[in-house]
Amino acid sequence: MRPSELRKQIAESEFTESTAGYCNGYVQANLVVLPQEYAADFELFCKQNPKPCPLLEVVGPGEFRTSKVADGANLLNEIPKYQIFKDGIPTEIVSDISAYYKEDLVFFLLGCSFSFEEALMQQGIALRHVEQRKNVAMFNTSIDLNRVGIFSGKMVVSMRPIKCKRIVDAALISAKYPNVHGAPIHVGAPEQIGIVDISSADYGDSVDIHADELPVFWPCGVTPQNALVNAKLPFAITHSPGYMLVCDIKNEDLRVE
Amino acid sequence: MRPSELRKQIAESEFTESTAGYCNGYVQANLVVLPQEYAADFELFCKQNPKPCPLLEVVGPGEFRTSKVADGANLLNEIPKYQIFKDGIPTEIVSDISAYYKEDLVFFLLGCSFSFEEALMQQGIALRHVEQRKNVAMFNTSIDLNRVGIFSGKMVVSMRPIKCKRIVDAALISAKYPNVHGAPIHVGAPEQIGIVDISSADYGDSVDIHADELPVFWPCGVTPQNALVNAKLPFAITHSPGYMLVCDIKNEDLRVE
């Protein structure tokens, strides 16, 4: 199925599932929606913390259709599930945010690690959470973000166990995708970045680390979501985790040499 | 001092020391000299094992002056110390090999890790053996080389302890220098590549690994030397370790984007 076809089914409520595993090869993006008064700070926050918060496109104010990542995708109803926040608290999950639309809303689309995971697997680097059909293991860290206005906090990382002999390959391959988190930020020694128990993920699903592997840590897209929640904005919207915008651009389009 | 000036002093026996630490910024190369009948196999062996055996220039037969790595360096007397081998056994160390010159000799110049070490240190990655003025720690491994004719064996690696948070940087930086061993081949877990005691180097000097570091392993230029010795050629010459050809090309010239 082509991304535009899937998005049409989503808009018509014919497709209501997680987008994980659909339209392989195409970029899937995270969404953050904010009133304009916070948008400049949030955009700068992303630019000051590009590894965990890789900006793919900013839409609006006064516009709700994409032009870069997809040809005219309607951000009000072409994502299967949206999470509404009020004062930093999740209130309801909806499949259409047209009722919440105001002229002053700004839509941020951020890269996600699905893109570099495809490249890793194509190069023969096995990913345990994919093999086990789990969500990737994610952890809070002690790594400070660069504060901009009310947006601040600590970096969240995703962890993938990688064989010692493929760690360098994994770093070199993912480094080619700076717009979807890029290279790892840490290898081994979880305690050095404030992770107390590597067997117990803070988000997603825990996975085993085998004797011939080390934990490898990448900046994670939960980081901007946490910064958003911590800022306790009166109103904000995100995609619901796993229910992403499926874009027209391909993962390979994000690869840089 | 410029490389051409240092080489002139070496040729005139005014400079007889190790070249380590001289002419910073310029490439230093390993030398292997063989009779022509083994040269084609040795060249192919290097090309089949490019990470440990990165070929910079092949000179001869019928020629003993460089044209690529240096402008007309005389390979018979512009290296401070040469090691003569007979039947794979080191016999004598000399400062001039003119007496051994025959028309059928072929000279191989191979990259050395000095080049990427400079780049690592410029990016703030400390190297313990440099700080402690030691030789880098090197180890035999269980990693098979690709055999060509009589040339075969196992890879020798150099080990540098790197802070967990700089391992990815170290990999990305050294990967830009494929002609001087390039990216590491293994991170952590020495036992997986056949290293029993990481605290006891097989060549060079052992160094401590701190709690916030992991051992990182790079392919090493001792590999082709070992393959040469193991092949038990009737006659061969190498540079004496640490006494290298100082080239006119700069480390930065070997950097690829």
Side-chain angles (χ1 to χ4, degrees):
Chain A
M1 187 154 40
R2 294 181 52 160
S4 57
E5 199 174 328
L6 181 66
R7 293 200 306 269
K8 186 164 179 286
Q9 290 190 14
I10 291 169
E12 293 169 355
S13 298
E14 291 169 10
F15 183 99
T16 58
E17 297 165 47
S18 162
T19 54
Y22 283 88
C23 299
N24 286 329
Y26 290 92
V27 170
Q28 300 206 10
N30 298 313
L31 176 72
V32 167
V33 190
L34 300 174
Q36 188 177 2
E37 65 178 301
Y38 307 107
D41 274 359
F42 187 74
E43 184 167 349
L44 189 57
F45 174 76
C46 291
K47 288 179 176 170
Q48 297 279 357
N49 299 282
K51 289 180 179 181
C53 313
L55 264 186
L56 292 177
E57 183 173 356
V58 183
V59 175
E63 180 58 77
F64 54 81
R65 286 187 183 273
T66 60
S67 60
K68 285 170 67 178
V69 299
D71 183 18
N74 182 342
L75 293 173
L76 304 181
N77 65 12
E78 294 191 12
I79 285 176
K81 284 190 187 171
Y82 299 83
Q83 175 71 60
I84 312 292
F85 291 89
K86 287 182 179 160
D87 298 321
I89 297 162
T91 54
E92 52 179 331
I93 290 174
V94 297
S95 62
D96 188 317
I97 56 169
S98 302
Y100 295 92
Y101 181 67
K102 289 183 182 172
E103 282 275 320
D104 79 329
L105 289 180
V106 181
F107 300 76
F108 295 88
L109 294 160
L110 295 124
C112 118
S113 57
F114 287 1
S115 301
F116 75 71
E117 288 187 341
E118 183 189 58
L120 293 179
M121 290 185 288
Q122 279 175 349
Q123 299 291 317
I125 297 175
L127 298 177
R128 184 143 308 124
H129 71 283
V130 176
E131 289 172 352
Q132 298 185 349
R133 297 172 182 277
K134 290 180 172 178
N135 197 347
V136 71
M138 294 166 275
F139 296 87
N140 295 315
T141 73
S142 56
I143 302 169
D144 280 317
L145 300 171
N146 297 311
R147 169 188 284 273
V148 176
I150 56 173
F151 300 105
S152 67
K154 307 283 187 183
M155 193 186 296
V156 178
V157 295
S158 58
M159 185 282 287
R160 294 164 186 80
I162 305 284
K163 285 191 194 298
C164 292
K165 65 180 177 183
R166 298 307 307 272
I167 288 172
V168 170
D169 293 333
L172 295 176
I173 293 165
S174 56
K176 304 252 182 214
Y177 297 84
N179 289 318
V180 285
H181 304 306
I185 49 123
H186 199 83
V187 176
E191 68 283 1
Q192 282 176 38
I193 52 172
I195 298 173
V196 176
D197 184 359
I198 193 69
S199 68
S200 174
D202 293 315
Y203 317 89
D205 302 315
S206 300
V207 290
D208 291 338
I209 301 170
H210 297 174
D212 60 347
E213 298 170 335
L214 283 173
V216 178
F217 301 94
W218 277 266
C220 174
V222 171
T223 309
Q225 307 254 350
N226 274 8
L228 184 73
V229 169
N230 294 341
K232 296 189 171 54
L233 301 194
F235 179 72
I237 306 173
T238 68
H239 71 289
S240 182
Y243 298 78
M244 322 279 281
L245 180 72
V246 181
C247 302
D248 292 340
I249 60 170
K250 293 193 166 184
N251 294 328
E252 277 311 295
D253 297 333
L254 294 182
R255 180 184 163 94
V256 297
E257 283 307 320
Chain B
M1 189 154 36
R2 294 180 53 160
S4 57
E5 199 174 328
L6 181 65
R7 292 199 306 270
K8 184 164 179 288
Q9 291 190 13
I10 291 168
E12 293 170 355
S13 298
E14 292 169 11
F15 183 99
T16 58
E17 298 166 46
S18 162
T19 54
Y22 283 88
C23 300
N24 285 329
Y26 290 91
V27 170
Q28 299 207 11
N30 298 313
L31 175 72
V32 168
V33 190
L34 300 173
Q36 189 177 1
E37 65 178 301
Y38 308 107
D41 275 359
F42 187 75
E43 184 166 350
L44 189 57
F45 174 75
C46 292
K47 288 179 176 169
Q48 297 280 355
N49 299 283
K51 289 180 180 181
C53 313
L55 264 186
L56 293 178
E57 182 172 357
V58 183
V59 175
E63 179 58 77
F64 53 81
R65 288 188 182 270
T66 61
S67 59
K68 285 170 67 178
V69 300
D71 184 17
N74 183 342
L75 294 173
L76 304 181
N77 65 12
E78 295 190 13
I79 286 175
K81 284 191 188 172
Y82 300 82
Q83 175 71 61
I84 312 292
F85 291 88
K86 287 182 178 160
D87 299 321
I89 296 162
T91 54
E92 51 178 334
I93 290 175
V94 298
S95 61
D96 187 317
I97 56 169
S98 302
Y100 295 92
Y101 182 67
K102 289 183 182 173
E103 281 276 319
D104 80 329
L105 289 180
V106 181
F107 300 76
F108 295 87
L109 294 160
L110 296 123
C112 118
S113 57
F114 287 0
S115 301
F116 75 71
E117 288 187 341
E118 183 190 56
L120 293 178
M121 290 186 288
Q122 280 175 351
Q123 299 291 317
I125 297 175
L127 298 177
R128 183 142 309 124
H129 71 284
V130 176
E131 289 171 351
Q132 299 184 351
R133 297 172 181 276
K134 289 180 172 177
N135 197 347
V136 71
M138 294 167 274
F139 295 87
N140 295 315
T141 73
S142 55
I143 302 169
D144 280 317
L145 299 171
N146 297 311
R147 170 188 283 272
V148 176
I150 56 171
F151 299 106
S152 66
K154 308 283 186 182
M155 192 186 296
V156 177
V157 295
S158 57
M159 185 282 286
R160 294 164 186 80
I162 306 285
K163 286 191 193 300
C164 292
K165 65 180 179 184
R166 299 306 306 273
I167 288 172
V168 170
D169 293 332
L172 296 176
I173 293 165
S174 56
K176 304 256 184 212
Y177 297 84
N179 289 318
V180 285
H181 303 308
I185 49 124
H186 200 84
V187 176
E191 68 282 1
Q192 282 176 39
I193 52 173
I195 298 172
V196 176
D197 183 0
I198 193 69
S199 68
S200 174
D202 294 315
Y203 317 89
D205 301 315
S206 300
V207 290
D208 291 337
I209 301 170
H210 296 174
D212 60 347
E213 298 170 334
L214 284 173
V216 178
F217 301 94
W218 276 266
C220 173
V222 172
T223 309
Q225 307 254 353
N226 274 7
L228 184 73
V229 169
N230 294 340
K232 295 191 171 52
L233 301 194
F235 179 72
I237 305 172
T238 69
H239 70 289
S240 182
Y243 298 77
M244 322 279 280
L245 180 72
V246 181
C247 301
D248 293 340
I249 59 171
K250 292 193 165 182
N251 294 328
E252 277 310 295
D253 298 333
L254 294 182
R255 181 184 161 95
V256 298
E257 284 306 320

